[in-house]
Amino acid sequence: MSSLPVELPPHLAADLREAFDPEAKIARALEALGPVAGRDVAVVDAAGSPVIEAIRERGARVTHVPASQPLRLPFDEAAVDAVVGLWSAFRGPAPDALAEVDRVLRPEGRLLVVHDYGRDDVSRLFEPDRPEYGAWSQRNGPFLRGGFRVRVVHTFWVFDTLEAAAAFLAAAFGERGEAVASTLRRPRLTYNVAVYHRNRAGGAAPAVDGSMPTPASS
């Protein structure tokens, strides 16, 4: 499931939900790169995500779709304006999944895929060899080589106090979390995500402010 970037027990997931991206920067990036407000948006494997709640608040008409292998989207051809995946979806991504997305997107439709980017505090909680942190963001990686562009969004996990941050990190991530907590000077962790985005194959390219073919800050 990808409602959050890490799967946690319910009480810890609730704590992370409170701390996660309080400025809704990820949702704002999806709007800038879509747009999604006032549009029909299919969301793959991200029911209950605070990111999806934020785009719904901006007027996106959201339909949730469960993950499947191979991917099957329950829509007619050219039925939606955007397809969004968070963390667990479009890992690679597979050519057949992209073809299925193109089938359901309208001519100016957009595929928007969020993955961790690394180079931040949060990445120190995980193994360093995750493809999100290296191969996927490279020029010869599967996204940029496959016609995607990328925007890097710099956001945070923000807690009320240093003590609250340390308690959460220890409970959620054990010794690794304790090590990260010991380096914090403020009750927040830097958190960078990459929003990989592409047009429907063969569709008209919309004007996307700040869109770049290589990683860029947002």
Side-chain angles (χ1 to χ4, degrees):
M1 69 114 180
S2 62
S3 61
L4 292 166
V6 58
E7 189 166 0
L8 295 169
H11 68 290
L12 293 174
D15 290 343
L16 180 53
R17 184 180 296 275
E18 289 295 318
F20 184 84
D21 186 17
E23 297 178 89
K25 288 184 176 182
I26 300 172
R28 285 158 47 192
L30 294 177
E31 170 60 17
L33 297 170
V36 294
R39 308 296 177 97
D40 297 313
V41 180
V43 174
V44 180
D45 192 32
S49 167
V51 176
I52 303 308
E53 292 173 3
I55 67 169
R56 193 194 297 273
E57 289 173 359
R58 286 163 170 75
R61 296 186 293 271
V62 172
T63 301
H64 289 286
V65 180
S68 61
Q69 292 292 337
L71 180 65
R72 291 289 180 265
L73 301 174
F75 306 102
D76 294 333
E77 293 184 8
V80 299
D81 300 298
V83 176
V84 174
L86 307 180
W87 300 296
S88 64
F90 304 105
R91 298 187 62 82
D96 60 344
L98 296 182
E100 176 67 354
V101 168
D102 288 340
R103 181 186 69 81
V104 304
L105 284 177
R106 292 173 179 140
E108 294 187 0
R110 304 280 283 157
L111 172 59
L112 308 167
V113 179
V114 174
H115 287 302
D116 284 5
Y117 182 73
R119 294 80 158 174
D120 58 14
D121 293 331
V122 170
S123 64
R124 294 188 290 140
L125 299 170
F126 301 99
E127 294 298 328
D129 59 352
R130 299 174 80 196
E132 294 95 321
Y133 297 158
W136 286 358
S137 62
Q138 301 302 311
R139 288 182 180 272
N140 62 350
F143 286 98
L144 300 187
R145 189 181 68 241
F148 285 81
R149 295 188 177 194
V150 61
R151 176 176 294 186
V152 179
V153 181
H154 304 283
T155 184
F156 301 95
W157 295 1
V158 180
F159 298 85
D160 289 337
T161 64
L162 274 170
E163 292 75 14
F168 169 80
L169 292 172
F173 299 99
E175 292 183 1
R176 198 182 294 256
E178 292 175 353
V180 171
S182 71
T183 69
L184 299 179
R185 297 296 175 265
R186 289 183 287 180
R188 69 182 193 181
L189 283 75
T190 58
Y191 179 50
N192 301 331
V193 301
V195 183
Y196 297 98
H197 54 100
R198 73 189 274 276
N199 306 320
R200 175 184 177 274
V208 178
D209 180 39
S211 174
M212 298 184 68
T214 53
S217 297
S218 174

